[in-house]
Amino acid sequence: MEPWSRTPSDARDLLGDDLARYQRSTRVAFRRRLVASRAMAQAVAEAALGRPVRLAKDPRGRPSLTGESAVDVSLAHTGDVLVTALSRAGRVGVDVEVRDRPLRTPAFVARACHPSETDLSTEDMVWLWTAKEALAKASGEGLALDFRIIQAAHPPAGWRVRSAIVADRYRITTAVESAVEGKAKW
């Protein structure tokens, strides 16, 4: 994360709609991650497209690239890890978590698990959460999506989900919309 951190004065233009969120937060680590994730996402998009871009948010709060409807963007961060995903194939969502994060609690299971997913290991729960979070980000529903109706192992028609362990510590999962007629709604 360090190479992407900027001083608050450098961050004003970069943060745009997130500036107020940045200013409200008293958590230094969160503020640094917010700036760094936006800086990295902008740099990745500029490198991929070969020209300057600006990050924005759509009306639901999803990140987007100003004036670029053919490329979708998603970002995630946890601890000192930042992830950016770009897609020309369709909408994209990405999530990252520490792979041994203790998510398997009664409250988590009640909020996030389909009935067929309630008896999973800690690592499988992290996979489940990152898959559902990536799908929710890609769909534009975010945390408003009822995660209990989605089965992570069987994403809705028209979605591809891929997951990997990175640096032996983190699970990164992406969800990409694919062109399929009759795509299911949540």
Side-chain angles (χ1 to χ4, degrees), residues 154-178:
H154 306 286
W159 293 94
R160 294 183 321 245
V161 176
R162 300 290 182 263
S163 192
I165 301 298
V166 177
D168 201 36
R169 183 160 184 233
Y170 300 97
R171 176 166 296 279
I172 297 175
T173 304
T174 58
V176 179
E177 181 180 37
S178 56

Side-chain angles (χ1 to χ4, degrees), residues 2 5 17 38 40 90 93 98 102 119 130 142 151 159 164 168 177:
E2 194 60 40
S5 296
D17 294 341
R38 284 12 177 218
M40 186 182 91
V98 176
D119 194 27
T130 60
Q151 292 184 58
W159 293 94
D168 201 36
E177 181 180 37

Side-chain angles (χ1 to χ4, degrees), residues 5-78:
S5 296
R6 297 181 179 186
T7 63
S9 61
D10 295 336
R12 284 190 184 285
D13 190 47
L14 176 69
L15 289 174
D17 294 341
D18 279 326
L19 182 60
R21 186 175 168 206
Y22 174 90
Q23 291 171 331
R24 280 192 312 269
S25 179
T26 58
R27 295 182 4 236
V28 173
F30 171 80
R31 290 169 63 132
R32 289 186 66 209
R33 272 196 317 271
L34 188 66
V35 170
S37 67
R38 284 12 177 218
M40 186 182 91
Q42 183 172 331
V44 167
E46 288 177 349
L49 296 172
R51 61 183 166 71
V53 298
R54 291 188 53 86
L55 286 175
K57 282 187 172 183
D58 73 10
R60 291 182 135 178
R62 283 186 85 244
S64 63
L65 301 174
T66 301
E68 185 59 60
S69 61
V71 177
D72 199 43
V73 62
S74 183
L75 45 128
H77 47 83
T78 189

